[in-house]
């Protein structure tokens, strides 16, 4: 949570430190869900800094872990964040695919506000007639 808070305050370095501490804790305690969520947070930081390949690598690792342990909410958020990264890169087809996966999972969980959040970002893809924007990634 501290990593997310620092990210939202645009304190990238502090945020990164908190996420790495969370990963260290998760590895010691075998708490893979925390590790995956921290990886998603680090991927967001990489996206903010336009380090797209590193962001995609961290997104992929997070998604792999979350898919394996079956945490739908965190997996949906990871797909959403990966979609935002592809969107910022101008790769709109993979962005759409990730947004659709997030929408599917959030729908299964009956989380309409989360579905709306993803749909708003999805509409910003140029082939849908919108403009590319930045999302804070903050959950509604």
């Amino acid at each position: 949570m501290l990593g997310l808070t620092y990210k939202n305050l645009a304190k990238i370095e502090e945020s990164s430190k908190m996420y790495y501490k969370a990963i260290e804790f998760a590895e010691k305690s075998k708490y893979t869900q925390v590790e995956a969520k921290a990886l998603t947070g680090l991927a967001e930081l990489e996206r903010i800094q336009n380090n797209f390949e590193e962001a995609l690598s961290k997104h992929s690792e997070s998604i792999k872990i979350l898919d394996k342990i079956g945490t739908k909410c965190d997996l949906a958020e990871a797909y959403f964040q990966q979609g935002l990264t592809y969107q910022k890169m101008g790769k709109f087809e993979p962005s759409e695919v990730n947004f659709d996966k997030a929408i599917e999972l959030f729908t299964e969980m009956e989380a309409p506000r989360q579905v709306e959040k993803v749909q708003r970002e999805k509409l910003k893809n140029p082939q849908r007639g919108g403009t590319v924007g930045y999302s804070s990634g903050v959950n509604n």
Side-chain angles (χ1 to χ4, degrees):
M1 292 302 293
L2 225 75
L4 177 63
T5 301
Y6 279 128
K7 180 195 70 103
N8 289 338
L9 294 171
K11 296 183 179 239
I12 303 302
E13 188 174 326
E14 291 91 340
S15 178
S16 182
K17 286 179 186 176
M18 291 298 111
Y19 283 130
Y20 278 111
K21 283 184 180 184
I23 289 171
E24 184 179 323
F25 165 79
E27 288 173 346
K28 286 179 184 174
S29 63
K30 307 285 188 228
Y31 197 176
T32 54
Q33 186 175 2
V34 168
E35 179 182 4
K37 290 177 72 165
L39 285 166
T40 296
L42 287 169
E44 289 179 68
L45 297 177
E46 296 294 350
R47 177 182 66 236
I48 290 167
Q49 298 173 88
N50 295 325
N51 298 327
F52 300 122
E53 294 309 315
E54 188 63 29
L56 290 175
S57 174
K58 287 180 176 16
H59 284 309
S60 294
E61 191 175 347
S62 176
I63 287 169
K64 182 179 174 183
I65 293 168
L66 293 168
D67 190 46
K68 183 178 179 181
I69 63 176
T71 57
K72 281 187 183 181
C73 181
D74 294 329
L75 181 59
E77 183 64 25
Y79 277 124
F80 173 62
Q81 293 300 325
Q82 184 166 268
L84 290 173
T85 298
Y86 278 121
Q87 186 181 64
K88 190 171 179 185
M89 293 171 71
K91 296 186 176 186
F92 302 110
E93 187 175 325
S95 175
E96 293 272 324
V97 169
N98 280 273
F99 288 156
D100 288 343
K101 287 179 182 177
I103 289 169
E104 179 183 330
L105 289 165
F106 283 134
T107 300
E108 286 176 17
M109 295 170 33
E110 298 181 13
R113 290 184 65 198
Q114 296 299 331
V115 170
E116 290 170 14
K117 172 184 78 170
V118 178
Q119 287 173 334
R120 277 192 307 272
E121 287 302 323
K122 189 175 175 179
L123 288 173
K124 292 181 181 180
N125 280 344
Q127 68 251 59
R128 295 190 162 276
T131 59
V132 176
Y134 170 77
S135 172
S136 67
V138 175
N139 292 336
N140 294 341

